[in-house]
Amino acid sequence: MLPQAVNFPMPDTLVIIFFVALMAGLLTYLIPIGSFQTQEVHYLAEGVDKARTVVDPHSFAYQLDKAGEPELQPL
């Protein structure tokens, strides 16, 4: 015999968005500030030389405070 499924009412969309925003705000207290460097990439498309600014994936660095520790910037 299979157990009966529990009917759980789905919360309203605005409630879900509120809790996602709340969680994102709380995470700013835990995740330090950092940034990537960008670089300009030149490529040939349809016979025309084009340029595009892209993120260098190996250039991430934390922003450090005066003590040399990664800086946190809460909301």
Side-chain angles (χ1 to χ4, degrees):
M1 182 168 190
L2 296 173
Q4 290 184 340
V6 177
N7 287 340
F8 178 73
M10 186 66 173
D12 188 39
T13 306
L14 291 177
V15 173
I16 295 171
I17 292 172
F18 171 76
F19 281 109
V20 168
L22 181 66
M23 180 62 84
L26 292 175
L27 286 175
T28 63
Y29 287 94
L30 302 175
I31 300 173
I33 302 169
S35 63
F36 286 94
Q37 299 295 321
T38 58
Q39 60 187 8
E40 192 166 307
V41 175
H42 296 274
Y43 60 96
L44 194 61
E46 299 176 3
V48 178
D49 186 33
K50 295 186 177 185
R52 182 176 180 173
T53 303
V54 296
V55 173
D56 180 7
H58 304 290
S59 67
F60 181 79
Y62 289 111
Q63 184 175 337
L64 303 177
D65 60 8
K66 293 178 183 176
E69 295 292 321
E71 186 177 350
L72 297 175
Q73 185 177 6
L75 282 173

